[in-house]
Every structure is written in C-alpha cells, then in structure tokens.
Amino acid sequence: MTERQLWERYKKYLCGVESVGLTLDVSRMNFAEDFLERMRGPMEKAFDAMAALEKGAISNPDEKRRVGHYWLRAPELAPEPALTKEIQDTVAAVRAFSEDVHAGRVKPPKADRFTRVLLVGIGGSALGPQLVADALGTAVDRMQVFFFDNTDPDGMDRVLAQLGGTLAETLTVVISKSGGTKETRNGMVEAERAYQQKGLEFGRHAVAVTGEGSELDRYAKKGNWLRTFPMWDWVGGRTSVLSAVGLLPARLQGLDIDGMLAGARDMDVATRERDMLRNPAAMMALMWFHAGNGRGQKDLVILPYKDRLLLLSRYLQQLVMESLGKEKDLEGKVVNQGLAVYGNKGSTDQHAYVQQLREGVSNFFATFVEVLKDREGTSMRVEEDFTSGDYLLGFFLGTRRALFEKGRESMTLTVPDVSARTLGALIALHERAVGLYASLVNINAYHQPGVEAGKKAAGAVLELQRKVLAKLRGDKAKGHTAEELATAVGSPDEVETVFKVLEHLAANADQGVKREPGANRFDTRFRAG
Ligand SMILES: O=P(O)(O)OC[C@H]1O[C@](O)(CO)[C@@H](O)[C@@H]1O
C-alpha cells in the first residue's frame, strides 16, 4: 500500500469519540475489504450479549454472577435501585472520607495528618490503582501512594525503607475483593508488624476495601479499623478500578475521580453504538480477531509514546489475558483461547525490542498510543524549530512506518492528553473491547478458573514444608537428604519440591535449618537447630 492509499484508508476508517477527543486508526491493519461485512453477524450477537450484560444478565455463568462494571460510572443503569444507591453512596463515601483525611479530621494518633498511603493488594486490586497513580500523579499530590503488591519480603522492605520515618503519617489501604488472597494477607501482616515496631496501633492507620463478610472484612472489624469500603461480587477484580478499589487511593492522592468516571461514562456511551464502524471498541475487537484469526495467534504489543502510560500495558495484560485466556468456550469445548499482551513505552522500546518487531519473528501486532499534548507549560527548543515532543512524534511515526514496511500491522489510538478523563476513557474502551471480543470467540471473559490451579499447588507446597519442618525438628540429631525427608513425610515422589523447600529454608538463617554438604548437591543433608 502506498502512503497515499494509507491516507485514504485512514480517512475511511478513522473512528472517533468526540466527547473525549479519542480516535482509533486501523488503517495499518491489513484486513480484507469484505472482512467487516463477514463479521457483521457475529458482532450483532456480541452487541446483544453486551446489552444483556448491561441490563443485569448472568453474564458470568460459571460463577453465576452478573457483570456490573459499566454501572460504576452510570449508576442509574444498574438493574435495581438498591444497587444504584449503593454505588452512589460508595462514591460519596470515598469523597467524604478522603476530604476528612486531607483536612485532618480523620487523623493518625501520633501525627497531625496522614500524608502517605500504603496500598496492599495484588492483581486487579493493585494494577488499576498503580496505573492511575503513575499516570496522573504529580509532585504536589495531596498524598503519595506506595504499594505492596507481592509476597516478596525484600520488596516490602524496600517500600518500608522508602516510607522511612513516615509510618506514623501513613494510611494503609488493604484491598482484596475475596478478602482471602494470601499475598495480600501477608502484606497486611508485614505492614501491621512494621507499625507495631514503631509503637503504632495498626487499626488506627488501616482501611479495607473488600467484600462483605470476607476474611479481611472480619479482620478489619475485629481490629477496629478506621473504615471499610465495599467491593461487590458483580465487579471483577480486573474491572474494578472505577469502584472503591481505584477511586479511594486516587482520591486520597488528590486525583480527579469525577474526571475518570466521566471519561469512562462517555466512552461507554460511544461504545454502545451498534454501527461497528463508529464504535472504537467494536473496531478494536475486530482488529484483534483479524490479527490473530480469532485464535490469538498474534500477540498484542502496547506502545504508548508517553512515560505516564508506562503501566498501561501491565494493566491491560491482566484485563485482556485473564479475561480471554480460557481453556473452554461457553459450550465447554476445549478452545485454548487468549491474546498475549506486552509492552512498555516509546521511544524507549526502540532501543530495546523494536529490532525484533521489525525484522524478527512476525508474531505480533501493535497498538500505538499517541498523546497530542507534550507537557504542561511551554517546551524549549532542543534544536532550531524542534522540541523533545517533536522528536517523540517523529520516533512514533517513524517506527510505525518502519514496521508497516515489513508487513507488521498496527493500530493507533490518539488522545489529547493524559488526564483523568482520557484515562477513564482508555480503560472503558479496552474493557468493552474485551467483552465484545469474548463474545466473538464465544468464551466467558469474567471468570478465571486457571488461577486456582496455581493457588492450590502453592498450598500443597506449604503443607509439605510444614511436614518437613516437623520432621527436622523432631529429629535434630542428624542431617537428612531430600530423598530421605520426602520418604519420611510420605511423599517420596515430591522429592524435587522437598529439595527446593530445603534449599530455601537453608538460605535464610532465621528459618533455623542448616545444610551439611555431601558428595554432590543432591546428597546435601539438612538439619534443624
Ligand atoms: O482482590 P482479590 O480477591 O485479592 O484478588 C486479587 C486478584 O487475584 C485474582 O483473583 C487472581 O488470583 C485476580 O482475578 C484478582 O484481581
């Protein structure tokens, strides 16, 4: 295709949402002229399924749940008035609580004000808040937000070190929909101990966002925490950023949550459009389908040319892959669906993996994100007539062209700026694209059965460790090999896991397990004491 033909194609297919200033350009996706016509029927069905979902159908059949994230930004659309009220009350409560914190009406016992937030959560209970905090944060935010998003002890130590002497002014927000996620529980326990070590009462510094009656909810009540905000079963973790999960930390930080909600609401209105050529979420879903043959055969590379959108790919990775990566379709047939997502930011990536994108294995398509506004205020000229932002545009357009020359497809999302409205709109756009695409490939986008297998297996490892430790402690006189211990605890076939557990225990002196070298690595003997 010549540059002139691309220009014509650009004009023909450009899909815009006036109210948020966003456009989607699919001209560099090589779909055949009749592709859209062929997809009209399936897309009609996807629109029907989406309309039913928004009206409150059980769209997550495996878990028998409704799927209500679109109601979060348009509470009046919730299927019952009680739900409308709950959503509205929660946003009002987030606002009021944050104001009280900022004004010092809700204050820590040993400082004048809370100045920091430590958010403890994982997956959908952290990725959205992290994206929002990084995309919209400034040096003069009301509060600075820190994260425990793993059960890595060193990771938590690092964050606590950054918080330094400010724990007395730190409000900890523990977020878990289920209230039973172990990584989050561990983060909470470690945070609680850090407060205690400073002579601070944790409950006076803690807030929870969780489902009613969950383990976390009960713990918060027992510990007399400052406040609990609700998380509902009809909001999935990966689509929860516009519930209290994302709104509370954002508002505490001082960010414009009304703007985020309005941007998402406007995008929702635009993506309810049934003319697919005028609906960017439908077009995006269709492009995903085209690129990967409806089988996820190509990966999606997210390339925002803006530092503030660095975490967009990480956020979308969960939203897309946890939603679409499914073994079975809605009829129970094995389909192994999915769409792999990765990315970072331009132009930085041009000096990293873009080499492979252009010349290596052709197993991807890209979404470029272009932000028109360079910065607040004026830009200096780094050369006569050129700003740094001109270079950023040049590198984006140059890379896009270089990829296309080699037959590598891409879409371009253009937004006016990185504002609360734009971010809300980008999130809503991708949520809707995921839902529509899931219908096109006939899967349930709203459950995550695959994650359970890893959790169960991890539980079994910890149980094995318990038995191994009991054995070692009961027989301190001599050392044991992994083989001996695995047999002794009744799991001879689990010897590799036992060996890994022993190596880990021995590498951490505080666990009280010593190693005695043997003739080779696998003859190493382990002893308690
Ligand atoms: O909010 P929770 O219940 O702690 O779950 C955190 C994350 O864990 C998952 O359930 C996967 O294990 C995600 O879907 C979810 O976002």
Side-chain angles (χ1 to χ4, degrees):
M1 226 176 298
T2 64
E3 287 301 315
R4 173 55 61 178
Q5 285 166 330
L6 276 171
W7 168 241
E8 295 306 327
R9 211 169 143 79
Y10 174 56
K11 287 191 290 181
K12 179 169 175 188
Y13 290 115
L14 191 72
C15 186
V17 179
E18 210 56 52
S19 53
V20 283
L22 174 146
T23 59
L24 173 68
D25 162 20
V26 298
S27 58
R28 284 167 178 77
M29 299 295 290
N30 272 327
F31 55 93
E33 283 301 322
D34 66 343
F35 170 72
L36 295 176
E37 206 38 57
R38 277 191 279 121
M39 294 304 288
R40 194 170 294 282
M43 193 43 97
E44 282 299 324
K45 278 198 193 141
F47 285 140
D48 290 343
M50 184 59 82
L53 176 150
E54 289 204 79
K55 284 209 174 73
I58 303 291
S59 295
N60 176 357
D62 301 60
E63 294 177 334
K64 299 190 177 41
R65 285 180 180 168
R66 299 190 284 192
V67 176
H69 48 275
Y70 300 108
W71 310 330
L72 297 171
R73 48 267 194 165
E76 69 283 1
L77 297 183
E80 288 122 37
L83 282 187
T84 301
K85 185 163 169 356
E86 254 187 282
I87 298 166
Q88 287 166 337
D89 288 352
T90 302
V91 178
V94 161
R95 249 190 232 113
F97 180 78
S98 304
E99 262 165 43
D100 285 346
V101 167
H102 295 158
R105 288 189 292 273
V106 171
K107 67 181 274 304
K110 295 193 180 169
D112 289 343
R113 260 161 225 249
F114 285 115
T115 60
R116 311 268 193 284
V117 175
L118 171 61
L119 191 156
V120 185
I122 196 166
S125 293
L127 288 162
Q130 285 169 322
L131 168 66
V132 170
D134 197 45
L136 304 179
T138 70
V140 291
D141 287 340
R142 299 300 297 256
M143 299 173 84
Q144 221 188 322
V145 190
F146 298 79
F147 295 90
F148 277 6
D149 69 350
N150 196 0
T151 184
D152 175 8
D154 174 61
M156 292 186 259
D157 288 348
R158 235 159 53 138
V159 173
L160 288 173
Q162 282 162 12
L163 281 165
T166 63
L167 216 49
E169 306 168 15
T170 301
L171 178 69
T172 289
V173 179
V174 184
I175 306 183
S176 175
K177 175 182 170 177
S178 63
T181 303
K182 295 299 182 207
E183 292 92 332
T184 303
R185 194 280 317 266
N186 293 355
M188 177 189 76
V189 171
E190 295 239 6
E192 179 159 17
R193 198 199 49 166
Y195 280 94
Q196 280 163 358
Q197 283 175 337
K198 296 250 187 277
L200 300 165
E201 194 191 329
F202 185 55
R204 300 289 82 211
H205 298 77
V207 172
V209 181
T210 190
E212 202 183 332
S214 75
E215 202 179 310
L216 172 58
D217 189 34
R218 283 180 271 127
Y219 193 76
K221 287 206 173 84
K222 205 169 121 212
N224 210 11
W225 289 18
L226 290 170
R227 185 80 193 233
T228 301
F229 292 87
M231 189 39 192
W232 304 288
D233 71 353
W234 44 267
V235 178
R238 53 190 173 274
T239 52
S240 66
V241 61
L242 295 175
S243 72
V245 168
L247 296 181
L248 178 64
R251 192 59 213 127
L252 286 168
Q253 194 179 341
L255 304 179
D256 172 16
I257 61 170
D258 295 327
M260 279 173 20
L261 289 166
R265 190 164 53 235
D266 287 351
M267 183 54 73
D268 287 343
V269 170
T271 53
R272 283 188 194 109
E273 168 65 57
R274 289 186 79 107
D275 175 355
M276 56 196 197
L277 281 171
R278 291 169 53 210
N279 179 334
M283 287 303 279
M284 191 176 251
L286 288 166
M287 294 305 113
W288 294 355
F289 192 96
H290 151 76
N293 287 323
R295 309 271 317 123
Q297 285 164 354
K298 287 199 173 174
D299 301 345
L300 169 57
V301 183
I302 305 282
L303 268 170
Y305 275 64
K306 200 48 128 184
D307 289 1
R308 284 183 180 275
L309 295 178
L310 172 73
L311 297 183
L312 184 65
S313 58
R314 221 206 283 180
Y315 173 80
L316 294 179
Q317 201 166 55
Q318 187 206 19
L319 176 64
V320 175
M321 294 177 76
E322 205 170 55
S323 301
L324 302 181
K326 298 292 156 69
E327 182 179 31
K328 295 183 180 153
D329 71 7
L330 286 167
E331 271 72 56
K333 204 170 91 206
V334 173
V335 288
N336 297 116
Q337 273 291 354
L339 175 59
V341 177
Y342 64 94
N344 187 37
K345 63 169 178 168
S347 76
T348 313
D349 292 348
Q350 280 171 233
H351 301 274
Y353 62 83
V354 169
Q355 163 64 28
Q356 174 170 324
L357 295 191
R358 183 160 193 264
E359 296 186 351
V361 52
S362 181
N363 61 352
F364 75 95
F365 63 108
T367 296
F368 289 99
V369 185
E370 175 194 22
V371 179
L372 294 176
K373 182 171 174 176
D374 280 342
R375 58 158 42 118
E376 293 302 329
T378 54
S379 278
M380 65 172 287
R381 304 280 173 266
V382 290
E383 273 172 37
E384 200 184 348
D385 282 344
F386 300 143
T387 65
S388 302
D390 297 332
Y391 266 92
L392 196 61
L393 175 72
F395 285 128
F396 147 55
L397 292 175
T399 295
R400 192 174 70 156
R401 174 177 295 201
L403 291 182
F404 192 71
E405 279 168 3
K406 292 281 186 181
R408 317 291 154 114
E409 296 174 284
S410 68
M411 288 180 264
T412 300
L413 274 170
T414 302
V415 291
D417 51 23
V418 183
S419 62
R421 274 182 70 78
T422 306
L423 194 61
L426 279 173
I427 289 167
L429 171 66
H430 285 90
E431 285 175 349
R432 182 95 44 176
V434 164
L436 294 172
Y437 182 87
S439 290
L440 293 179
V441 299
N442 194 36
I443 55 156
N444 178 358
Y446 307 107
H447 68 345
Q448 52 286 328
V451 182
E452 288 310 311
K455 284 188 198 168
K456 278 203 193 105
V461 172
L462 290 161
E463 190 44 40
L464 202 54
Q465 170 166 328
R466 200 194 311 278
K467 288 184 189 162
V468 166
L469 270 175
K471 182 76 198 153
L472 286 174
R473 285 173 189 149
D475 188 3
K476 292 185 178 173
K478 60 179 177 69
H480 307 263
T481 65
E483 292 270 8
E484 288 165 1
L485 280 164
T487 304
V489 299
S491 303
D493 291 346
E494 291 295 332
V495 59
E496 184 188 350
T497 308
V498 170
F499 182 68
K500 300 297 286 176
V501 163
L502 288 165
E503 280 211 308
H504 175 244
L505 288 170
N508 291 279
D510 54 335
Q511 298 270 22
V513 173
K514 297 210 172 71
R515 64 182 332 143
E516 296 163 356
N520 70 50
R521 173 184 287 264
F522 302 109
D523 288 333
T524 305
R525 306 189 86 77
F526 297 89
R527 197 151 59 86

